[in-house]
Structures are given as structure tokens and as C-alpha cells.
Amino acid sequence: MALDQTQQTFGIAELAREFGITTRAIRFYEDKGLLSPARDGQRRIYGPRDHVRLRLIMRGKRLGFSLDEIREMIDLYDVDPTEVSQLKLFIGKLQARREQLRSQQEDIAETLAELDRLETQSQDLLAERESRRGKSAR
DNA sequence: ATTCTGACA
DNA sequence: TGTCAGAA
């Protein structure tokens, strides 16, 4: 092992392309405290750590977590390398998210049911009017 | 050409 | 988060 090329860096445009997001989004995440790239003057230099964090951010988004929640989970990874408390929080977040989705699922089911009731009710009313028109129109 | 910051018909 | 501006 001569020289460990672990010092690989990424430019903002490069990361944006790799993750399919805009450079604006990447800077936005930084403003929210999820990313803290090094600087070369004004230019942002992203290292392996930022790359990993961005990957975690994208996964969190896919699961429906807010940026604040994602920041909480990721920050613990830094503070607690043992990952014990991080896993603890993560599990809690997953359960909360699952409950939230189930709650939404119930709301949707109720709305769907109400839609069905209204439709059948309207269909009946329509059928009734059409039959009456036939009789009184004579 | 690319990135940065700040602002918002 | 998009977009546009003005500067570096």
C-alpha cells in the first residue's frame, strides 16, 4: 500500500449528477445543516463523508422523512460511532413513520368509502328522476 | 464554463 | 426547492 487515495473529492456538479438532484438542493441541505463540505476559497469540496451523508439523505427522503429527522439520525452517526443510540433512534423513527403511513392509509380508506356512498346515492337519485320524467312527461 | 450568495412576478 | 441576477 503506497499512498491511500482515500482523499477522493467531489465537486457540487458531480454530486448533483450522481444523485440526480440539483446543485440548489445540495446547497439547501447544507443550509439545513445536513452537509458541511470543506472549502477551497468559495468553492465547496465534498469528501467521502459528505458523499455518504448525501446517500443517507436521499434514502431518508425516499422513506418520507423530513430533513430535520434525517439530520437527527445522521448526526448521531457522527457522535456515536458504536451506532447503538443511532439505531435506537432510527428504529423509533421507522416505527413512527409506519404509524403515520397507516394513519394516512385509514384516512384514504374512509375517503374512498365516502366517495362510494355518495356515488351510489347519486346514482339512485338520478335513476329515480329519470323514471319520474318518463311518467310525468306524458 | 462553473460556482457562489441572496432574493422572490 | 426552482430560478434569476451579478460577481468571482
Side-chain angles (χ1 to χ4, degrees), chain A residues 13-86:
Chain A
E14 192 180 350
L15 282 183
R17 274 186 283 97
E18 185 179 333
F19 289 94
I21 55 182
T22 62
T23 58
R24 174 71 173 87
I26 293 176
R27 298 193 188 95
F28 185 75
Y29 300 152
E30 182 181 337
D31 287 333
K32 295 303 179 183
L34 287 83
L35 252 32
S36 53
R39 294 276 186 162
D40 169 40
Q42 286 280 64
R43 282 60 170 47
R44 273 166 261 248
I45 303 299
Y46 301 86
R49 197 181 81 103
D50 298 302
H51 190 277
V52 171
R53 294 180 65 108
L54 190 48
R55 170 157 280 130
L56 293 175
I57 292 171
M58 298 312 284
R59 186 186 65 179
K61 285 189 56 184
R62 271 183 285 126
L63 294 177
F65 291 109
S66 69
L67 292 182
D68 284 325
E69 294 178 310
I70 294 173
R71 178 163 42 65
E72 279 187 82
M73 300 189 275
I74 295 180
D75 284 348
L76 260 67
Y77 185 86
D78 283 335
V79 184
D80 180 26
T82 72
E83 284 185 40
V84 173
S85 66
Q86 183 196 30

